[in-house]
């Protein structure tokens, strides 16, 4: 060390190559440094995620669409009532559920990615704590994690959409925007769930949340049948759940049956949830990580 | 480098750090010695800007942690008490990705990672998963990782706790090299030998307070005698024998398993004790250590 006023060269440093670049706050934003770590780490571990990201959606489409869909289509075609296919927006069963599944799998994946990996970061592997020793703050960790989850959800959404297109279930060029919609749906879950997950000491509440929250939403938010089939009071509940709006949004875009008012309501509702989660999570992450 | 006045940390009703004052100069190795729960880690977390200051003044590298936490952390190297290595990744990746947290440019980082692997004696393990390393290797990797941003100040929270003697000596050697190279070190420990080996100056902490401060030799000469005679008697008889030994030393301490006599010349006193017909089961004369200082100041041992 030479001098006392902040000059910081010499000594052991001189032996290390590239001594000219001290850490500073300029340069990449802290959020991107967190994101960069997750991206780099995923490059080492991505193989293990193929099943959940790509194969599950494909299996759902095959089972529900080809298997169950055949029965449903047969029934609707032979229906004596004038309703028939119009109940499904005038399309076959697979085409009806595919965009719903797009939204529902985004929800599932986002929820999964914002529970266990957050617990991993804060407690099991303590990777968040390593980040905080650098010029990175708790809210940067939160936002970097969310950005990474959004990337994962978007990638698997893109694959899902491509499979749908291959099956002939994409009816409108606006389907490209369904990728944004499904990612938004995922983040409407991920942001608040991560905010909650970071406050936990262990993972016991995660399966409960999944069983009491995610599974009922998956089944009753209009993914597999129009919610108008539900009793009135359940319809009311379904309409206030986030997944319902995600499903509606994705379906409208994929089938090309858009209506400006519902698009605005669905998008606004989901965006509010994301904003709430980001704001609330900024506080819970800071509270947990900076004591 | 670091200056604290009346520095206090409270968690609810519990006061972990109770109005401590200290000043750490550039280039020195400064120690915080004390038993578990003395407030060392809480102090370190405040100095590393990981934990907000409850009350008092703290300045790190001339900046206020309250407002410039990330800027300060950018110039610190932190070795936390528990490793935060990514066990799934390789040794080399751990160094590399940690460097990227500090936004060290890739071209600068690659050769630096190699020289740090060498520094940590881990060159031939660079491609291995961290999970496969021994405790001592992980600790060396954590220290190497803390150096990846070329910090001016390195904070080590119990760097060798839980390591075997050989691993500890290798680690001390690395820390000694850092010190030689002019890096300012802050070390917390509950091992007096570690504090004596590495620290130029230290403070002794107990119950959140600083009870003494100085260099290891000055603390010993201020708070203890030159030498110590340790006498071990049959269990349960230490207290009783201590009474008979009062005349031989300026001060007598009774521990559960032995009696300590604080004296100027240990061998001479040992001889006198034998002449007086006192027969301990074992006897030993040694130089005073920081352990004796701690015992004197708090009435308790450092490590039980």
């Amino acid at each position: 060390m030479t001098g006392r006023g902040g000059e910081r060269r010499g000594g052991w440093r001189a032996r290390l190559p590239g001594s000219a670049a001290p850490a500073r706050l300029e340069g990449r934003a802290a959020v991107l440094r967190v994101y960069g770590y997750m991206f780099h780490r995923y490059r080492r571990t991505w193989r293990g995620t193929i099943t959940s990201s790509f194969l599950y959606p494909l299996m759902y489409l095959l089972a529900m669409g080809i298997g169950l869909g055949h029965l449903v289509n047969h029934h609707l075609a032979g229906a004596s009532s004038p309703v028939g296919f119009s109940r499904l927006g005038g399309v076959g069963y697979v085409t009806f559920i595919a965009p719903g599944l797009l939204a529902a799998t985004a929800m599932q994946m986002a929820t999964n990615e914002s529970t266990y990996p957050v617990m991993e970061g804060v407690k099991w592997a303590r990777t968040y704590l390593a980040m905080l020793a650098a010029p990175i703050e708790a809210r940067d960790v939160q936002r970097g994690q969310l950005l990474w989850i959004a990337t994962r959800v978007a990638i698997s959404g893109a694959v899902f959409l491509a499979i749908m297109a291959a099956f002939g279930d994409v009816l409108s060029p606006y389907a490209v925007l369904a990728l944004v919609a499904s990612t938004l749906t995922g983040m409407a879950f991920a942001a608040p769930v991560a905010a909650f997950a970071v406050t936990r000491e262990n993972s016991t509440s995660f399966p409960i949340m999944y069983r009491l929250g995610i599974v009922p939403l998956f089944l009753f938010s209009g993914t597999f049948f129009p919610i108008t089939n539900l009793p009135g009071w359940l319809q009311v509940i379904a309409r206030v759940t986030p997944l319902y709006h995600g499903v509606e949004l994705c379906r409208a875009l994929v089938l090309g049956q858009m209506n400006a008012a519902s698009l605005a309501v669905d998008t606004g509702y989901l965006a509010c949830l994301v904003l709430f989660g980001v704001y609330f999570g900024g506080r819970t992450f800071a509270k947990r990580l900076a004591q | 480098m670091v200056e604290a006045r009346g520095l206090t940390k409270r968690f609810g009703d519990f006061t972990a750090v109770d109005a401590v004052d200290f000043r750490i100069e550039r280039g020195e190795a400064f120690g915080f010695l004390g038993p578990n729960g003395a407030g060392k880690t809480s102090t370190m977390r405040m100095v590393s800007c990981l934990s907000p200051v409850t009350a008092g003044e703290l300045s790190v590298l001339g900046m206020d942690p309250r407002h410039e936490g990330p800027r300060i952390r950018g110039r610190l190297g932190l070795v936390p008490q528990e490793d935060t290595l990514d066990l799934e990744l390789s040794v080399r990746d751990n160094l590399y990705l940690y460097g990227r947290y500090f936004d060290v440019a890739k071209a600068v980082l690659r050769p630096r990672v190699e020289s740090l692997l060498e520094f940590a004696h881990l060159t031939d393990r660079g491609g291995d998963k961290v999970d496969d390393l021994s405790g001592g290797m992980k600790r060396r990797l954590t220290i190497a990782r803390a150096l990846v941003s070329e910090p001016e100040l390195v904070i080590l929270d119990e760097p060798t706790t839980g390591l075997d003697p050989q691993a500890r000596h290798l680690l001390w050697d690395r820390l000694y090299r850092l010190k030689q190279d002019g890096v300012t070190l802050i070390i917390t420990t509950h091992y007096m030998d570690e504090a004596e080996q590495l620290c130029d100056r230290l403070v002794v902490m107990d119950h959140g307070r600083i009870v003494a401060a100085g260099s290891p030799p000055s603390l010993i000469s201020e708070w203890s005698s030159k030498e110590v005679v340790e006498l071990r008697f049959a269990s349960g008889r230490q207290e009783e024998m201590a009474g008979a030994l009062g005349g031989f030393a300026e001060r007598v301490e009774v521990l559960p398993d032995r009696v300590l006599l604080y004296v100027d010349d240990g061998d001479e006193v040992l001889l006198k004790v034998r002449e007086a017909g006192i027969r301990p089961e074992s006897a030993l004369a040694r130089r005073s250590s920081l352990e004796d200082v701690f015992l004197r100041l708090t009435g308790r041992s450092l490590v039980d």
Side-chain angles (χ1 to χ4, degrees), chain B residues 34-298:
Chain B
N36 292 326
K40 305 187 301 284
T41 296
S42 295
T43 307
M44 287 312 99
R45 286 179 55 79
M46 287 191 283
V47 172
S48 1
C49 313
L50 291 177
S51 165
V53 171
T54 310
E57 300 282 318
L58 178 65
S59 146
V60 183
L61 301 165
M63 290 180 273
D64 184 349
R66 256 180 276 248
H67 304 117
E68 303 198 80
R71 195 174 286 276
I72 296 171
R73 287 203 301 268
R75 290 164 60 185
L76 293 185
L78 184 68
V79 177
Q81 200 171 118
E82 290 178 77
D83 290 331
T84 57
L85 299 165
D86 192 324
L87 302 180
E88 301 285 313
L89 295 178
S90 73
V91 170
R92 190 173 274 112
D93 273 355
N94 263 274
L95 289 171
Y96 180 80
L97 289 174
Y98 196 76
R100 296 295 289 155
Y101 288 161
F102 288 83
D103 216 15
V104 181
K106 288 178 189 175
V108 175
L109 196 50
R110 281 201 195 92
R112 194 180 287 171
V113 163
E114 296 309 314
S115 60
L116 284 170
L117 282 174
E118 199 180 314
F119 173 83
H121 262 280
L122 288 170
T123 304
D124 51 342
R125 304 297 299 266
D128 293 358
K129 260 194 185 184
V130 171
D131 213 8
D132 301 333
L133 300 186
S134 72
M137 289 174 180
K138 281 184 189 151
R139 220 50 196 145
R140 294 205 302 275
L141 177 58
T142 298
I143 291 175
R145 196 181 67 164
L147 300 176
V148 81
S149 59
E150 303 198 322
E152 296 159 69
L153 172 64
V154 178
I155 296 176
L156 302 116
D157 196 0
E158 311 224 343
T160 66
T161 297
L163 298 186
D164 61 51
Q166 204 190 343
R168 292 180 75 201
H169 281 284
L170 184 53
L171 230 147
W172 285 350
D173 175 63
R174 301 290 100 175
L175 294 179
Y176 194 71
R177 217 179 104 183
L178 275 183
K179 192 178 131 182
Q180 294 274 293
D181 290 340
V183 179
T184 310
L185 301 177
I186 303 182
I187 300 161
T188 79
T189 182
H190 57 250
Y191 297 118
M192 49 149 190
D193 49 350
E194 188 159 283
E196 286 188 41
Q197 289 254 351
L198 293 173
C199 299
D200 302 313
R201 284 195 309 137
L202 56 90
V203 292
V204 180
M205 282 190 88
D206 189 38
H207 295 307
R209 292 171 186 271
I210 290 177
V211 291
S215 68
S218 77
L219 279 168
I220 291 168
S221 69
E222 185 177 354
W223 296 102
S224 189
S225 57
K226 238 169 95 189
E227 299 201 339
V228 184
V229 174
E230 294 198 10
L231 302 172
R232 205 178 292 267
F233 296 99
S235 97
R237 296 195 60 212
Q238 322 291 345
E239 196 74 51
E240 174 194 340
M241 295 311 293
L245 291 163
F248 293 99
E250 44 193 280
R251 197 161 61 84
V252 178
E253 286 281 355
V254 185
L255 298 182
D257 60 339
R258 64 213 139 109
V259 179
L260 305 182
L261 305 181
Y262 290 91
V263 299
D264 275 336
D265 186 335
D267 288 331
E268 187 192 315
V269 171
L270 213 48
L271 213 62
K272 283 187 187 161
V273 167
R274 290 237 164 80
E275 280 168 4
I278 297 170
R279 295 276 174 268
E281 293 193 348
S282 72
L284 152 83
R286 60 165 174 83
R287 283 178 36 207
S288 260
S289 72
L290 286 174
E291 174 86 48
D292 301 299
V293 173
F294 190 78
L295 188 65
R296 171 75 185 273
L297 289 167
T298 68

Side-chain angles (χ1 to χ4, degrees), chain A residues 244-262:
Chain A
Y244 168 77
H245 294 277
V247 169
E248 286 291 293
L249 199 53
C250 288
R251 187 169 286 145
L253 291 164
V254 170
L255 303 184
Q257 301 174 350
M258 280 98 55
N259 157 327
S262 358

